[in-house]
Amino acid sequence: FSCSQEKKLPFLGPKQVNAQGDTVYHQIPSFRFLNQDSVFVSEKDVEGKVYVADFFFTTCPTICPKMKTQMLRIYERYKERDDVRLLSHSIDPDFDTPSVLKDYASRLHVSSPKWNLLTGDKAKIYQLGQKSYLVSAQEDPAEAGGFVHSGAFILVDKNRHVRGIYDGTVEAEVNHLLEDMEVLLKE
């Protein structure tokens, strides 16, 4: 019996077996959105990097402020590491233009390319959230602020596989994410 067993993280999402009998894990597809600096960010910008994704909007009256406090912890911890990125997707792209996101980033004292605040086509953002990152992100007039979204932080490995989903409003969950990030960075 050995305690030095390396922790392995699961692969989340649907998987398939190809003709060769290999398991093919769910992967985040190609994407292209504008960041707070009006620069396009795509899957090529996270190639070979571990990243944390989430969904928010700048006028969110409920969970977003808690989420941003926790995301700032991740940002501060990995600020100097080039193999880590943060991608926050706005679910209110009509309001959250690059200039609005730029002001928001300034207030948080964060910058790209480490932390990209992304905006773009609403349908593509919602589809990416629900189909690829496996979380809720959509308009809902019944919700405070007019949108419903998960408070999830999605941990993605260097090959764009979802490896963990954590409640980004709970410090203990984010502590768990930080531990799991260390595991992925060694993979």
Side-chain angles (χ1 to χ4, degrees), residues 127-146:
Q127 182 177 9
L128 192 68
Q130 292 168 18
K131 301 273 186 268
S132 301
Y133 289 112
L134 317 170
V135 297
S136 60
Q138 62 200 35
E139 284 182 273
D140 183 348
E143 287 292 318

Side-chain angles (χ1 to χ4, degrees), residues 17 52 68 93 96 103 129 131 148 159 165 170-171 174 182:
V17 177
V52 178
K68 290 303 152 242
D96 289 339
D103 291 344
K131 301 273 186 268
V148 61
N159 297 309
I165 298 177
V170 177
E171 186 174 350
V174 176
E182 289 301 319

